[in-house]
Amino acid sequence: MSTPYAKLPAWADYGLIPLINLAVAFIVAGFVVLLVGENPFRAAVILVEGAFGKGTGIAFTLFYATTFIFTGLSVAVAAHCGLFNIGTEGQAYIAGLGIAIVCLSFDSVLPWWLTFPMAIVASALVGALWALIPAYLQAKRGSHIVITTIMFNFIAASIMVYLLVGPLKPAGSQAPQTRNFLAGAELPKLNWIIELFGAKIRSAPLNVTFLLALLMAFLVWLLIWRTKLGYEMRTYGHSPKAARYAGISETRIIITAMMISGALAGMMALNPVMGDQHNVAIDFVSGAGFVGIAVALMGRLHPVGIVLAAVLFGMLYQGGAELAFEMPAISRDMIVIIQGLVILFAGALEHMFRPYIQALFASFSPRSVGMEAVKGKGA
Amino acid sequence: MDVFIAIVQILDSTIRLSVPLLLACLAGLFSERSGIFDIGLEGKMLVGAFAGAAAASVFHSAFIGLGMAILISVAFAMVHGFASITHRGNQIVSGVAINFIAAGSTIILGQAWFQQGGRTPALQPGERFDAIVWPGAEAVRDVPIIGPIYAELISGHSLLVYLAFLMVPFTWWVLFRTRFGLRLRAVGENPAAVDTAGISVAWLRYRALICTGILTGVAGAYLSMVQNGGFVKDMTAGKGYIALAALIFAKWKPVNAMFACLLFGFLDAAAIRLQGSPLPIIGKVPVQFMQALPYILTVILLAGFIGKAIPPRAGGVPYVKER
């Protein structure tokens, strides 16, 4: 079954519609600000200034963006295969365990450039393994991936709480977290890049994981659009029947896609754990996995879009912190509402404005829509 | 005798803890049986809890609170319907969105209106649903065995507790003995057939979601107006997802749902009661393991090791009318 909608020019499909959806989400969020009794326009100005006004703000924005690039890519890879990985949160959380094991064992012996690759492998491996069981159950036993990954989020949280209040907690400490890592597991900061442009940075956690995130975005693009595996994943995502007919193994493709997704989710943990806090603490993921859903939808599952959407959400997180400072009536939870609205309008209601835009295009130049439709068939 | 009293107390808190699960689980039953996946149970409970506690403390009436909880919760259910029925959006995505909007807006509005860090004012006696003491409960309390069971387990709960358990046979009756229920189940299995019979698929699913909204509203009201004397941020704490797990565990059947919720409520009650004290034979069980047990059991069930859970066939698929 094809989509019931005619094709729009690509720039409208990938640029205009997401922007309209985003605008509507922000307008509704503006009404919430109004309801709270503040001025939405002033709030928007504070938000953008807080995120991009100073060097420190930019560094923080990119630090948050790093996290969201990983989770966004994780959700997107699974989505290309027609799977909704809602378990990014849990996969990232449990990956903290892999990082903790590597860092706690080697941080006193090895320099960071040896610990980091090992931690990357460990986090990706643990994340992928945590996604393996739901993937296997989906592929072999037909249990719904959404439900199993939700359950695995809670199971991961229980395991991590158990470990962090028990075995992983240093003796004599009260806080539910591992001991602080030594210099061998602290990632170098990237703030000097922003300082090259003349901005001053006091202290911000932007670190080399940002580069890893960009590399992963490129690799995901390569995987999805330039490899046989990616082609098979997209085929299965579009039509499991067609994939089966083409001789693609259902089990293999589901498990591979979910493990890649889990690995990307797991790598997210590197950013806060090794780049910022230098320990594994309770709830260090704090919802970033769910932000990944919004980022992936916003970015229309394309790595470029995901990086842009991740920066947008990074801006919301950093600017939101400033906003909470300037307008006490608005706490950081405002971002959670915006996040929800973005998921609603860019995800569930993504086709709401499409018929109107199509009518608009058709009224301006009927041929542009028609011609695109003919071209679209070849793709 | 001490052991007996302890058991009665655990069972009593089992009932109290399973009520919100049960209401949310039955709510999910209505929507999933009609072919609409609902991950947003959690969010709808949360807005219900907030609206209920807020309205009750402003208007000084428990019933106005309950009404407002239902109203707002139904409104959120309608948003879910608008996205997933009218616009054929992804039902999971829509549910996730609702959970976020609920989590954020309850805190923001709560802080803006009441200035208590996202809490609503503590409810006064008339603004909560109080315990109903059954006739003769005090008189028979000292009678061995039957006394404590009658006084602790059966008597002494609030109106909403009895309502929740009455909803079980009522839901069963609606689903399996009325025309509406037959059509609702049919639309979850084969919407095209229902459409061919000249019944509106969309309207039927909207009505199912209204039922869902009402029940999640009551569940939320129970949390903030019975279990707790006011709204606290994120007070649902994953109960919506446990209810979802219970729904699968119950294989989408009302009576099973009650037992599943009682089981999960019992696990919760036992975890609170034991708090790490050692059990006979097994030894010390970590609290976290008890908390994770509902999820683990559901995964095992989903894996098909304890019978097979088969969801409604048309679940999660938006209905497109052939033209």
Side-chain angles (χ1 to χ4, degrees):
Chain A
M1 255 197 333
S2 63
T3 46
Y5 304 106
K7 207 163 167 92
L8 281 170
W11 66 269
D13 211 8
Y14 293 105
L16 187 62
I17 289 186
L19 278 182
I20 291 176
N21 290 336
L22 190 66
V24 175
F26 275 99
I27 290 169
V28 178
F31 278 114
V32 178
V33 174
L34 215 55
L35 206 60
V36 170
E38 291 280 3
N39 180 348
F41 295 103
R42 208 170 81 80
V45 170
I46 296 173
L47 201 117
V48 173
E49 262 183 11
F52 293 116
K54 292 200 195 90
T56 314
I58 299 174
F60 263 101
T61 299
L62 292 180
F63 166 73
Y64 291 123
T66 309
T67 298
F68 302 147
I69 292 173
F70 282 117
T71 52
L73 289 173
S74 163
V75 174
V77 166
H80 274 293
C81 195
L83 302 164
F84 198 137
N85 181 10
I86 212 166
T88 309
E89 184 83 9
Q91 289 145 14
Y93 200 1
I94 203 92
L97 178 63
I99 299 176
I101 292 170
V102 168
C103 291
L104 294 176
S105 325
F106 297 110
D107 63 349
S108 57
V109 224
L110 298 176
W112 75 268
W113 45 271
L114 284 176
T115 349
F116 189 40
M118 285 197 294
I120 295 175
V121 173
S123 64
L125 201 68
V126 177
L129 286 177
W130 200 246
L132 171 67
I133 307 169
Y136 174 82
L137 292 178
Q138 161 92 26
K140 283 283 185 195
R141 322 279 311 193
S143 39
H144 203 296
I145 195 109
V146 171
I147 304 293
T148 35
T149 45
I150 290 177
M151 300 300 135
F152 268 70
N153 281 346
F154 286 102
I155 300 173
S158 294
I159 293 177
M160 288 304 280
V161 171
Y162 170 73
L163 290 174
L164 289 173
V165 298
L168 282 178
K169 196 181 68 172
S173 161
Q174 283 301 315
Q177 58 196 38
T178 64
R179 72 165 165 82
N180 278 358
F181 300 154
L182 305 174
E186 287 183 13
L187 297 181
K189 302 275 189 270
L190 282 183
N191 297 332
W192 55 272
I193 295 184
I194 297 168
E195 282 178 336
L196 282 185
F197 294 99
K200 277 204 97 57
I201 289 180
R202 269 171 285 134
S203 72
L206 180 64
N207 60 77
V208 287
T209 330
F210 179 62
L211 302 178
L212 181 70
L214 293 182
L215 175 70
M216 285 302 149
F218 174 71
L219 289 181
V220 165
W221 173 80
L222 215 60
L223 167 78
I224 300 285
W225 280 282
R226 289 292 180 276
T227 65
K228 182 163 166 277
L229 178 65
Y231 177 74
E232 288 176 342
M233 277 165 53
R234 281 184 295 137
T235 310
Y236 185 81
H238 271 287
S239 163
K241 262 188 197 160
R244 219 170 295 139
Y245 188 70
I248 296 168
S249 157
E250 212 169 336
T251 314
R252 184 179 65 92
I253 206 73
I254 290 177
I255 289 182
T256 320
M258 274 307 284
M259 286 186 75
I260 294 172
S261 175
L264 287 165
M267 279 187 245
M268 173 250 131
L270 296 163
N271 191 41
V273 168
M274 288 182 77
D276 182 22
Q277 301 165 349
H278 306 306
N279 60 38
V280 178
I282 272 190
D283 205 21
F284 72 86
V285 186
S286 59
F290 296 113
V291 182
I293 300 168
V295 167
L297 291 170
M298 204 44 242
R300 310 221 62 191
L301 307 184
H302 191 287
V304 174
I306 287 170
V307 171
L308 292 176
V311 172
L312 176 86
F313 271 93
M315 180 194 103
L316 287 177
Y317 266 65
Q318 166 55 19
E322 295 286 317
L323 191 61
F325 189 67
E326 295 277 329
M327 293 183 171
I330 299 174
S331 66
R332 263 183 99 169
D333 299 287
M334 191 67 216
I335 303 156
V336 180
I337 302 184
I338 297 177
Q339 209 171 298
L341 290 169
V342 167
I343 296 177
L344 186 68
F345 286 104
L349 287 171
E350 71 175 321
H351 298 306
M352 185 159 73
F353 298 106
R354 191 177 270 264
Y356 305 107
I357 293 164
Q358 250 151 18
L360 202 69
F361 268 84
S363 70
F364 278 129
S365 63
R367 285 188 60 197
S368 80
V369 181
M371 277 173 68
E372 286 298 323
V374 176
K375 256 203 233 159
K377 273 182 191 158
Chain B
M1 206 56 203
D2 281 350
V3 179
F4 177 71
I5 296 290
I7 288 172
V8 168
Q9 277 168 353
I10 287 187
L11 290 181
D12 185 47
S13 54
T14 297
I15 290 176
R16 287 166 204 275
L17 290 167
S18 59
V19 164
L21 300 181
L22 179 58
L23 286 164
C25 188
L26 294 174
L29 188 76
F30 274 100
S31 99
E32 300 226 338
R33 275 283 181 153
S34 78
I36 304 286
F37 279 162
D38 199 351
I39 292 214
L41 293 176
E42 173 91 0
K44 288 199 279 279
M45 268 162 90
L46 196 62
V47 290
F50 175 71
S57 91
V58 171
F59 297 107
H60 307 295
S61 155
F63 282 94
I64 291 180
L66 179 65
M68 197 51 91
I70 291 174
L71 201 69
I72 299 295
S73 180
V74 169
F76 270 68
M78 291 300 97
V79 172
H80 187 50
F82 180 69
S84 57
I85 303 171
T86 306
H87 284 286
R88 299 188 210 111
N90 187 318
Q91 297 165 7
I92 310 280
V93 174
S94 166
V96 171
I98 281 171
N99 286 344
F100 277 120
I101 296 171
S105 55
T106 47
I107 301 175
I108 293 277
L109 294 180
Q111 173 62 17
W113 290 341
F114 301 106
Q115 274 105 29
Q116 294 185 7
R119 306 167 74 100
T120 61
L123 293 178
Q124 306 306 316
E127 302 163 1
R128 298 179 59 169
F129 287 99
D130 294 320
I132 298 169
V133 179
W134 284 35
E138 287 311 312
V140 296
R141 185 176 283 274
D142 296 328
V143 178
I145 313 287
I146 306 165
I149 288 179
Y150 184 75
E152 292 271 337
L153 278 189
I154 298 174
S155 160
H157 295 289
S158 90
L159 178 68
L160 297 186
V161 175
Y162 301 112
L163 184 73
F165 283 94
L166 283 177
M167 280 313 292
V168 176
F170 181 72
T171 303
W172 177 85
W173 179 77
V174 167
L175 279 180
F176 296 97
R177 286 295 177 272
T178 67
R179 184 183 302 190
F180 169 67
L182 177 68
R183 289 173 175 178
L184 190 140
R185 283 181 292 133
V187 88
E189 296 290 333
N190 191 347
V194 175
D195 199 15
T196 315
I199 302 157
S200 164
V201 172
W203 172 225
L204 201 50
R205 287 185 166 171
Y206 266 112
R207 277 185 284 170
L209 281 180
I210 292 174
C211 299
T212 304
I214 293 172
L215 287 170
T216 45
V218 180
Y222 176 84
L223 284 177
S224 69
M225 296 166 65
V226 177
Q227 211 168 53
N228 205 343
F231 177 84
V232 189
K233 73 173 193 177
D234 287 328
M235 74 184 310
T236 42
K239 288 198 177 60
Y241 295 110
I242 298 197
L244 211 58
L247 182 59
I248 296 161
F249 211 73
K251 300 176 186 175
W252 292 271
K253 292 195 178 89
V255 179
N256 289 7
M258 183 182 74
F259 288 118
C261 291
L262 282 172
L263 171 66
F264 290 175
F266 173 76
L267 289 175
D268 204 2
I272 294 170
R273 175 92 191 180
L274 295 173
Q275 287 292 5
S277 56
L279 281 177
I281 308 166
I282 324 168
K284 198 172 162 178
V285 182
V287 190
Q288 290 83 14
F289 178 73
M290 298 288 275
Q291 284 163 348
L293 206 52
Y295 308 112
I296 297 171
L297 286 176
T298 308
V299 170
I300 294 173
L301 174 87
L302 274 171
F305 296 122
I306 327 173
K308 198 149 173 63
I310 301 162
R313 188 144 26 114
V317 189
Y319 179 63
V320 184
K321 209 181 175 98
E322 293 291 336
R323 292 195 194 281

